[in-house]
Every structure is written in structure tokens, then in C-alpha cells.
Amino acid sequence: MLYAIIGEDRAGSLDQRLAARPAHLARLQALQADGRLVLAGPCPAVDSPDPGPAGFTGSLIVAEFASLADARAWADADPYVAAGVYEQVSVKPFKKVLPA
């Protein structure tokens, strides 16, 4: 089943985000290589694809996992969690409707 993982950044965590980004991306690339990643990306803090020092407010990942518990365990092990980037992480079942 698909799950939406929504991480909300802690204020002032841009430096930690940038430092942890290579490890975070490596985990996403592993999901992609397994054919389980639907989409992933950050939410810029300003209306720009490159927010510069404004940074980001969080991230969205939609990926396939065997269970909600597996999705939660994967999210809890994210380098952004360990680095203190995310203030909160939500994991919810997700039903893709479009595009078909």
C-alpha cells in the first residue's frame, strides 16, 4: 500500500537539513531503485523553487510499504529526524487516484 510521509521542519533547521541531505537522498534513491517511490520533495518556505536562506517548511514522500508500521519505522529512521530537522512527522495511508 502507499503511504504519505509528511515531515514538518523545525524553525531554523536549514543548516541541519543541508548537512543531512546526502544521507536522506540516498534512502529515497534506494526506495526508487526498488520501484517503491511515487514522489518525494521539499516544501519551500517561499514561493520559489530555490528558497535560498528562507529554507523549507517540510517534505512530502509518497512510497509503497508493506504496512503502516513499516512506513512509520522507515520514517523514524530518516536522517532528517536524527539531525533534528523535522519537528513532527506524520505517516498516513495514501490512495492514489490520479494520474491513473
Side-chain angles (χ1 to χ4, degrees):
M1 178 160 190
L2 294 178
Y3 294 89
I5 300 170
I6 304 155
E8 296 183 36
D9 284 19
R10 185 177 312 281
S13 64
L14 181 58
D15 289 342
Q16 292 94 326
R17 176 183 267 273
L18 295 175
R21 188 170 188 263
H24 172 78
L25 289 178
R27 294 180 81 235
L28 291 171
Q29 289 164 343
L31 280 179
Q32 183 176 16
D34 287 345
R36 296 169 44 206
L37 183 66
V38 174
L39 65 88
C43 300
V46 295
D47 191 12
S48 172
D50 182 3
F56 301 89
T57 61
S59 303
L60 170 64
I61 300 164
V62 177
E64 184 177 344
F65 293 92
S67 67
L68 179 58
D70 287 348
R72 169 52 69 190
W74 188 92
D76 288 346
D78 193 292
Y80 283 174
V81 171
V85 174
Y86 290 151
E87 183 169 45
Q88 177 180 333
V89 178
S90 300
V91 180
K92 302 176 182 185
F94 182 81
K95 181 179 175 183
K96 181 181 173 200
V97 175
L98 294 172

